[in-house]
Amino acid sequence: MECRILSIQSHVVRGYVGNKSATFPLQVLGFEVDSINSVQFSNHTGWFCLFRVELETIFYPWYCKDKSFLEVVVSIIQELKKATPGLVYVCDPVMGDHGLLYVPENLLPVYKNEVVPLADILTPNQFEAELLTGRKIKTEDDAVEVMDLLHEMGPDTVVLTSTDLPSKHGDQFLVALGSQKTSKVFRNPDGTSSSQKICMDIPQVDAVFVGTGDLFAAMLLAWTHHHPKDLKTAFEKTVSVMQHVVKRTFTYANEMAGPGNKPSAAQLELRMIQSKADIENPSVVVEAKVL
Ligand code: ADP
Ligand code: PLP
Ligand code: ZN
């Protein structure tokens, strides 16, 4: 059966964020991708502008400044869900990172009350998960509780793509967690939840990448499609793709920068095309732990 994806994200002329980060890898995996570009920019904001852009577009312009854009997305999803039973909506809530909100505060209730309840798969980072639930994540138990609260808001699958939790393997690892509801009745009579919870320690590469969150969400959609009841496998394949891509990118960026120099944001643009074979058939290089 043909699988079609409607991808609503930003577009950049040069580089890889938003739809540029999602379309090619999904097509490589055999999905038909229809895209709506929420905005178009010359490049992401991490590096100097290739073309002249208005000053206001330099300040996180792609994150729908406007509440009405998010409302439009909500109505599109509602219509599509009515027309297409079985449609899966993956929501990567773009709200902020590390305590910094990139969108106006009035978007928060729209996310909480309208967007998240429609989502089947939700991929917030730690800060976004905290904003949506009003709970801080300081321990693994907190993260588990936050993922359960997010399940209660709607999505059957929740992945915290990056957290500040300490890894048991040391500070060279970043911790991601996921949870998938395993039955329709989520709460057992004793109040415990029925879900599979997994945790992964991801080897950290010493650079800041952009567009990785968007690639992560795209690969999670692809791999949960192939493994709908096995979040552990989908998660391992997703994170393995990420590892191959960021490592290849890092090696290339350092070669370009030359010895002793820090690579620029432009040099750190994801090596997406060069990673085609890893995207198609990722060798699993990280193992998830079932909690
Ligand atoms: P978010 O948009 O959710 O904050 P990030 O871009 O921080 O997402 O991370 C998404 C995924 O990208 C991580 O789960 C990880 O697999 C990968 N990733 C991002 N940055 C790095 C890094 N410096 N080293 C290794 N993996 C990274
Ligand atoms: N979209 C655009 C246009 C951006 O400039 C950025 C970051 O700079 C992002 C999206 C966010 O990318 P991600 O969260 O995937 O790293
Ligand atoms: Zn993100």
Side-chain angles (χ1 to χ4, degrees), residues 63 92-97 102 123-125 128 161 211-214:
Y63 298 123
D92 185 4
V94 178
M95 304 166 78
D97 206 355
Y102 329 124
T123 58
N125 60 34
E128 290 158 343
T161 49
T212 38
D214 306 327

Side-chain angles (χ1 to χ4, degrees), residues 3-112:
C3 256
R4 193 169 277 277
I5 292 169
L6 175 63
S7 180
I8 308 175
Q9 302 195 55
S10 50
H11 171 79
V12 281
V13 175
R14 170 79 68 92
Y16 296 93
V17 294
N19 269 333
K20 284 283 288 289
S21 237
T23 308
F24 172 77
L26 288 168
Q27 286 172 331
V28 160
L29 290 171
F31 294 89
E32 285 292 348
V33 181
D34 298 333
S35 13
I36 294 179
N37 299 327
S38 47
V39 290
Q40 167 162 326
F41 295 109
S42 58
N43 44 257
H44 76 70
T45 47
W47 54 294
F48 75 90
C49 289
L50 192 61
F51 310 126
R52 221 190 104 74
V53 290
E54 299 299 332
L55 196 69
E56 63 158 21
T57 65
I58 297 171
F59 290 102
Y60 306 106
W62 63 96
Y63 298 123
C64 37
K65 261 212 180 95
D66 204 356
K67 189 168 147 190
S68 64
F69 180 74
L70 200 53
E71 304 275 16
V72 171
V73 173
V74 168
S75 56
I76 293 174
I77 312 296
Q78 281 167 338
E79 287 302 312
L80 287 176
K81 282 207 160 186
K82 257 187 249 158
T84 320
L87 178 125
V88 173
Y89 171 38
V90 181
C91 171
D92 185 4
V94 178
M95 304 166 78
D97 206 355
H98 290 98
L100 178 73
L101 198 66
Y102 329 124
V103 296
E105 265 177 54
N106 68 347
L107 285 189
L108 183 58
V110 184
Y111 269 114
K112 269 193 197 165

